[in-house]
Amino acid sequence: MSSAALALVLGAAVLHATWNAILKGGSGDRAVALAGISAAHAMIGLVLVMLFPIPHPESWFALFVSTLVHYAYYALLYQGYRLGDLSLVYPIGRGAAPLLVAVAAVVLIGEVLSPLGWLGLFTICGGILLLTMQSWNGTASRTAIWVAALLGLSIGIYSAADGIGIRISESPMGYMGWLFLLEFPVPIAIALARVRAGKVIPPTALKYGLIGGVLSVVSYAMVLYANTLAPLGAVSAIRESSVIIAALIGVVLFSERPVGGRLVAAAVVAAGVIMLAAS
C-alpha cells in the first residue's frame, strides 16, 4: 500500500471514530443528530453532483445497493447506540467488515491480497475481537450485540459495493456526490416522525449532527478515494483501526469500563496495519 493511501485511510479512521462519538454522547437526541448527519451528506452531495460528471452507468447498480443498505445502516446505528456502549457496539459493528469486503473483492473482481496482506487483515480482525472481549462485561444487552452484528453486515455490503462502484464510475467525485445526495430521505423521514409525534427538534442535537455529517463526508470520501489506490480489503481493514480510537474515547469521555487490555488490542491492530502497509 502506498504512503498516500495509508495516510488517507488512517485520517479517515480518526474522523470516523470522532463523529460516532459525537452521535453516541454529544448529541443528546440521536435521532435528530442522525438527521443532521444525513442532511449534511445530502447538501454536500448536491454540490458535488452540480460540479462533477455523472458516474458511468456501469456503477449505478453498486450505487443503488449502497444507498439502500445505507438506509438500514442508519437505523441499526441508532438502535445500537441506544442499547449499548460505544466501546462494545462500535468494535462489533466495524470488526466484521474487513473480511466481508476482502472476500467480496476476491469473488466479484478477483482482487487477492498477498499472504502478508491476509495475515495483516486477520491480525486487525483479531485485535478488534480482543477489544470487543475487553469491552464485554457480561451485562451488555444481547439485542445490542445482534444489532451491532447486523450493523457490521451492512457496513461490509456497502463498503464492497462502493469500493467496486467508484472504480468503474469514471467520475469518483460524481459517484460520491450521488451517494451522499441520495441520503436525503433520511432527514425528511426523521423530521416528519418528530412533527407527527409533536416533539421539538433540539437545535443543539441538530448542530452536532451537522458537524458529524461534515466529518463523516470527509472521512468516507477519503476511504472511497483510497479504494482507487489500494486493494479493497486492505483499505477496509486499516480503516477499522478507528475502533481503537473509539474505544479510547469511550473510556476517557464516557467512563466506559473495563480499561484493561485495550492497549494490547491497540498494539495488535497496529501490527496488522503495518503488515498491510508493507504488503
Side-chain angles (χ1 to χ4, degrees):
M1 178 178 285
S2 68
S3 58
L6 181 61
L8 282 170
V9 182
L10 289 176
V14 173
L15 293 176
H16 195 277
T18 301
W19 79 257
N20 272 262
I22 290 173
L23 177 62
K24 168 64 180 177
S27 61
D29 189 319
R30 295 191 190 102
V32 172
L34 273 174
I37 288 169
S38 53
H41 285 194
M43 289 185 288
I44 294 172
L46 179 61
V47 173
L48 294 177
V49 165
M50 293 172 64
L51 293 177
F52 295 94
I54 190 170
H56 192 277
E58 286 187 9
S59 67
W60 290 358
F61 180 72
L63 186 61
F64 173 75
V65 170
S66 179
T67 298
L68 290 183
V69 174
H70 264 92
Y71 296 154
Y73 164 79
Y74 279 118
L76 292 166
L77 194 64
Y78 171 77
Q79 292 297 333
Y81 288 151
R82 186 179 66 84
L83 297 169
D85 287 345
L86 175 71
S87 56
L88 179 69
V89 173
Y90 193 93
I92 295 174
R94 306 304 306 186
L99 281 176
L100 291 173
V101 173
V103 170
V106 171
V107 173
L108 297 177
I109 59 176
E111 182 181 270
V112 181
L113 295 173
S114 68
L116 181 60
W118 281 108
L119 179 60
L121 188 150
F122 280 108
T123 300
I124 289 174
C125 291
I128 294 171
L129 176 62
L130 177 60
L131 178 62
T132 304
M133 293 171 64
Q134 292 295 326
S135 302
W136 170 259
N137 58 14
T139 62
S141 163
R142 291 184 180 275
T143 304
I145 294 172
W146 279 109
V147 168
L150 290 173
L151 183 66
L153 178 62
S154 71
I155 292 168
I157 293 173
Y158 78 62
S159 295
D162 288 336
I164 296 171
I166 199 166
R167 288 186 175 185
I168 60 178
S169 68
E170 298 181 5
S171 176
M173 298 302 291
Y175 183 94
M176 293 180 204
W178 280 101
L179 178 64
F180 297 141
L181 176 61
L182 290 172
E183 290 187 21
F184 76 89
V186 176
I188 293 175
I190 293 174
L192 288 176
R194 303 291 297 208
V195 170
R196 289 172 181 171
K199 295 182 179 179
V200 177
I201 296 178
T204 301
L206 184 59
K207 178 186 73 174
Y208 276 116
L210 291 171
I211 293 172
V214 173
L215 295 178
S216 175
V217 165
V218 175
S219 171
Y220 201 45
M222 292 166 73
V223 168
L224 290 178
Y225 186 70
N227 280 330
T228 67
L229 305 175
L232 303 186
V235 170
S236 179
I238 293 176
R239 181 193 184 194
E240 306 319 335
S241 60
S242 61
V243 300
I244 300 300
I245 302 165
L248 295 176
I249 291 173
V251 169
V252 174
L253 296 184
F254 306 145
S255 300
E256 297 174 0
R257 295 294 183 268
V259 178
R262 282 178 166 80
L263 291 179
V264 175
V268 173
V269 171
V273 169
I274 292 171
M275 292 178 198
L276 275 169
S279 69

